Amino acid sequence: MAIYYLDARGIAPSRGSSTVAAAAYQSGDRLRDERTGDLKAYSRAERVAATGMELPDGAPALDREGLWNLAEAAWPGGPELTAKRYVIALPRELDAETNIGVVREFCGLFPDRARDWAIHDDGDGNPHAHVLVSALALDESGFVRPKAQKSSKIYLCRDARGEDVMVASKDWKAAKAAGIEKVFNFKDGRRLTMSEAKAEGLGNDDRKSRAPVSVTAAPDGGRAFDAEKAELKRIRASWAEIANRALAAQAAATGEKAVEIDHRSYSDRGIARIPMIHEGSRPEPWIVAENAKIRALNGLLETAVARVTAQLAALKRAAGAWFARKGDAIAERRRAFIERQRARAMAVAAAKGKRKRTEQGDDFADQELDWEYSGLDDLFAFKADEASAANSGGRARGLDGVPRWKPGTR
């Protein structure tokens, strides 16, 4: 059945990754990386079922090799990305043509970027798509670098008095000259400057990472990581919507039951199940073994949840039956109480009317009898509700919690 899988990773030359190499791998083409002079070519091109490129309106006519070499030429250095690579699992229920359509619709989520896509299908029931999306917008002049600074690195530092200060990367040289030091995470859980660490006999090998403690701040002052995370959630939800529309359309056309994929985690969906590790086409043995353990644990969890769910359902049915019986009994007591009080009132009114008929005539007696009876049912119902509340334990209060009577009074 259809499953949800979407993986997003950045490609940056500073990390040793190449956009030209990624494009060659997913498309099966032989591409020359002009930055290094290497020819990027990969085997198993036969698994590539379809490829395509989607460029913004007005962008120059570029082939795959020219496009991604241009993207790397626009890279200024440092940790910036040249592209993002998305890998998405395609529903097996959809045919090849429909899968191409949903991949192109996914590319439409990035209208001002260059998009290069390929569908891989080994015939093993795991069709998936690779989509490269340029980090920069593309227009008639080429890749466009934003005029405003996107984000800035801010370091946790410590001054000579031992007080923590935050220093932006652009101010680091001046801060260093003033004797301020960057702070690092150490394996013992502490955060120390290198001067503090050396005083305790600690060195670089005792650090958890070579990178100092820092945070990337967005222009609005928030964490850039949070903005990236929100954007990824939007893309994940959009892919689920695109795939589900195609699955629903196919189900309507064939009369089959529609299936859906869901981008949310088990935790967000309230499902008590441990997620498994994605195995891929050639899984490593440790992943297969770990997934076997997870399947066993999930079986135990599902059995326990099913048992508790059945018990809760039985309790709910029993409680519903008890409340129904209780309600019927209260209604019957209320009806009997009203009937008794009505009969008593009618008897009193009849006796009173008899006396008045003797004294003043039938017409007056009828009017008096009607006046005596008017509104009695409402009064009796009110008294019946008071009695029911008393029988239920609210001895000194009515159904609405307002004091109505006291023991020994009427």
Side-chain angles (χ1 to χ4, degrees), residues 9 21 78 87 155 162 199 254 257 261 315 322 361 366 393 395:
R9 297 187 183 185
V87 181
Y155 297 102
T254 60
K257 182 180 179 181
I261 59 175
L315 287 173
W322 183 87
D366 290 341
R395 303 294 305 176

Side-chain angles (χ1 to χ4, degrees), residues 251-262:
T254 60
E256 298 176 353
K257 182 180 179 181
V259 296
E260 289 187 346
I261 59 175
D262 198 319

Side-chain angles (χ1 to χ4, degrees), residues 78-378:
E80 286 197 29
L81 305 181
T82 53
K84 282 187 179 180
R85 183 183 65 181
Y86 297 92
V87 181
I88 52 180
L90 299 174
R92 288 181 289 184
E93 291 80 358
L94 301 179
D95 58 32
E97 183 178 357
T98 307
N99 273 333
I100 291 175
V102 296
V103 171
R104 283 179 168 165
E105 191 173 350
F106 177 79
C107 289
L109 299 176
F110 316 94
D112 63 341
R113 270 31 178 194
R115 293 90 71 196
D116 184 2
W117 58 268
I119 294 177
H120 290 186
D121 191 353
D122 284 328
D124 59 355
N126 182 33
H128 57 279
H130 296 258
V131 181
L132 273 178
V133 179
S134 65
L136 298 176
L138 180 65
D139 64 14
E140 64 278 359
S141 62
F143 285 104
V144 181
R145 182 164 300 283
K147 294 181 180 179
Q149 186 178 10
K150 291 174 59 179
S151 58
S152 60
K153 183 81 75 175
I154 298 178
Y155 297 102
L156 174 63
C157 300
R158 200 162 286 162
D159 60 21
R161 295 174 295 181
E163 296 182 358
D164 289 345
V165 293
M166 303 301 293
V167 178
S169 57
K170 62 183 180 65
D171 302 324
W172 167 240
K173 287 185 179 180
K176 183 178 180 180
I180 292 175
E181 295 184 73
K182 293 179 180 178
V183 174
F184 295 83
N185 284 317
F186 280 77
K187 294 177 181 177
D188 61 4
R190 292 184 296 166
R191 288 180 168 179
L192 305 171
T193 65
M194 290 310 299
S195 295
E196 293 169 337
K198 289 177 181 178
E200 298 186 19
L202 302 175
N204 292 337
D205 293 340
D206 298 301
R207 298 187 306 196
K208 291 180 65 176
S209 170
R210 294 176 59 186
V213 180
S214 64
V215 63
T216 303
D220 61 359
R223 294 178 62 199
F225 174 79
D226 294 336
E228 288 286 335
K229 187 175 180 180
E231 175 65 7
L232 180 57
K233 284 186 175 181
R234 182 189 71 82
I235 293 170
R236 287 176 59 83
S238 297
W239 165 243
E241 183 181 351
I242 290 168
N244 286 333
R245 277 202 305 268
L247 288 166
Q250 176 175 283
T254 60
E256 298 176 353
K257 182 180 179 181
V259 296
E260 289 187 346
I261 59 175
D262 198 319
H263 67 284
R264 296 172 299 169
S265 67
Y266 285 156
S267 176
D268 290 341
R269 294 157 65 186
I271 298 176
R273 189 182 303 162
I274 304 170
M276 297 203 310
I277 305 170
H278 182 67
E279 295 183 358
S281 58
R282 290 176 289 185
E284 297 182 26
W286 74 268
I287 294 179
V288 175
E290 190 67 23
N291 279 341
K293 294 179 183 177
I294 293 173
R295 286 190 188 94
L297 286 173
N298 280 335
L300 294 174
L301 280 173
E302 288 170 2
T303 300
V305 169
R307 183 174 63 251
V308 172
T309 301
Q311 291 173 348
L312 289 174
L315 287 173
K316 185 177 180 180
R317 289 192 298 270
W322 183 87
F323 278 112
R325 293 193 301 271
K326 184 73 172 176
D328 291 344
I330 292 173
E332 178 59 27
R333 288 200 300 271
R334 188 174 188 271
R335 185 196 62 77
F337 182 91
I338 291 173
E339 288 297 328
R340 288 197 303 271
Q341 297 300 322
R342 178 188 290 130
R344 187 177 303 168
M346 290 293 289
V348 171
K352 194 174 183 180
K354 185 176 181 179
R355 290 196 302 273
K356 290 185 178 181
R357 276 197 300 273
T358 302
E359 299 170 1
Q360 301 181 18
D362 291 345
D363 291 342
F364 183 84
D366 290 341
Q367 293 174 10
E368 184 69 18
L369 181 61
D370 289 341
W371 180 85
E372 290 286 345
Y373 185 69
S374 176
L376 286 177
D377 277 0
D378 291 339

